[in-house]
Amino acid sequence: MRDFRTRFAPEIARVERRGLLRGALSLGAVSMLAGCDLSGDGPIDRALWAMLRFSDRVQAALFDPRRLAATFPASAITRPPRFNAYYPLRELRPIPDDWSLEVGGLVEDKRDFSLAELAAMPQASQITRHICVEGWSQIGQWRGVPFAWFLKRVGADLRAKYVAFDCYDDYSTSIDMASALHPQTILALEFDFAALSRPFGAPVRLRIPTKLGFKNPKYIAAITVTNQYPGGYWEDQGYNWFSGS
Ligand SMILES: Nc1nc2c(c(=O)[nH]1)N[C@H]1C(S)=C(S)[C@@H](COP(=O)(O)O)O[C@H]1N2
Ligand SMILES: [Mo]
């Protein structure tokens, strides 16, 4: 943290110009505002968004890409697993028969991938804890393609800032490239030692145990590598974007 001020000099200057750090509003106070409606476009909203982006940069700088999330024995798996989405399970719609995973943005191999192609790639299994911001957690098993391997395979620009996910239920989220490349981040095809079922993310979901549950998109339709801040369904409503767990 010694070079903190140097490293974040432009951001700190920007935030200080707005008088926020000199005032009563600390980063903690701003994070408590997560959950408030920040959809307005006034000067206060813009200043708050600047603070939130600043907080994301700090969290990204503190993220250790080699530190592994805790793993558990199969006996620790929570059963039955808990479904969660921004709507109730009965409103889950079917996935189109012609599903394929669209990969675009800053990648060389911009095209669609079938489930068979994904299944033929290297797979890794993990038993990790999934933590939902709503105040519950569960331990589960997921298996799938190491996302770092996948990003290299499609020739993604690994210096790009973000990877964005768009889902079939109009959900979306996005993550930083360092977290995307973390060894435990996988494109999961399997959950609880069986093919992913529809509620838990079929055909494919992201499993990223270093982040909170809402950063683990299910029913992925498209993956985009980009330098433009993509936000996401909850992120656009003020949830902390980085959301490490
Ligand atoms: N497509 C999609 N993915 C999603 C969500 C969603 O509503 N739609 N909810 C998120 C949230 S808040 C959580 S906690 C987890 C829940 O995953 P689970 O149903 O496998 O427990 O999915 C995340 N991914
Ligand atoms: Mo969640």
Side-chain angles (χ1 to χ4, degrees):
M1 294 287 279
R2 202 167 52 82
D3 64 347
F4 178 84
R5 283 198 73 90
T6 325
R7 188 151 177 194
F8 293 102
E11 283 84 0
I12 290 173
R14 193 151 50 92
V15 170
E16 280 183 344
R17 266 199 305 281
R18 297 171 193 264
L20 285 174
L21 284 186
R22 275 171 285 144
L25 207 49
S26 66
L27 277 178
V30 166
S31 61
M32 280 173 61
L33 291 170
C36 292
D37 181 14
L38 297 178
S39 55
D41 199 30
I44 300 286
D45 303 278
R46 283 200 301 275
L48 281 174
W49 277 116
M51 286 290 281
L52 292 171
R53 291 295 72 79
F54 171 71
S55 158
D56 288 329
R57 305 251 332 224
V58 173
Q59 291 173 71
L62 297 177
F63 176 72
D64 179 350
R66 288 152 311 187
R67 198 175 149 250
L68 296 180
T71 57
F72 299 86
S75 58
I77 291 174
T78 311
R79 291 200 182 91
R82 182 164 171 168
F83 166 86
N84 197 36
Y86 67 93
Y87 45 81
L89 178 57
R90 65 186 140 75
E91 283 173 27
L92 194 63
R93 282 173 277 134
I95 295 289
D97 288 338
D98 61 350
W99 177 87
S100 59
L101 177 66
E102 186 186 323
V103 179
L106 303 172
V107 301
E108 279 161 25
D109 197 7
K110 253 194 237 21
R111 64 179 179 93
D112 288 13
F113 289 82
S114 70
L115 201 52
E117 279 180 285
L118 295 176
M121 293 175 181
Q123 311 281 316
S125 176
Q126 62 176 261
I127 301 176
T128 48
R129 188 190 298 276
H130 167 120
I131 303 166
C132 175
V133 73
E134 289 164 26
W136 55 271
S137 79
Q138 60 187 353
I139 293 171
Q141 182 266 352
W142 290 267
R143 182 170 179 269
V145 185
F147 199 44
W149 187 93
F150 182 79
L151 288 172
K152 286 169 197 157
R153 162 72 183 71
V154 300
D157 178 357
L158 302 181
R159 292 155 313 170
K161 286 190 186 147
Y162 309 106
V163 183
F165 301 86
D166 288 295
C167 308
Y168 276 102
D169 56 356
D170 296 327
Y171 188 79
S172 58
T173 188
S174 55
I175 58 173
D176 53 293
M177 183 60 81
S179 298
L181 296 174
H182 185 276
Q184 287 169 310
T185 304
I186 61 174
L187 269 180
L189 308 180
E190 181 182 299
F191 175 55
D192 208 11
F193 305 101
L196 265 182
S197 63
R198 175 72 184 94
F200 294 104
V204 64
R205 85 169 305 169
L206 190 77
R207 175 60 191 142
I208 177 163
T210 53
K211 287 196 188 289
L212 292 178
F214 79 96
K215 309 292 285 184
N216 288 244
K218 304 191 274 190
Y219 339 119
I220 302 173
I223 297 179
T224 310
V225 176
T226 177
N227 281 315
Q228 261 91 51
Y229 174 73
Y233 179 85
W234 288 116
E235 292 87 341
D236 296 350
Q237 299 176 61
Y239 273 40
N240 171 245
W241 179 76
F242 193 85
S243 280
S245 67

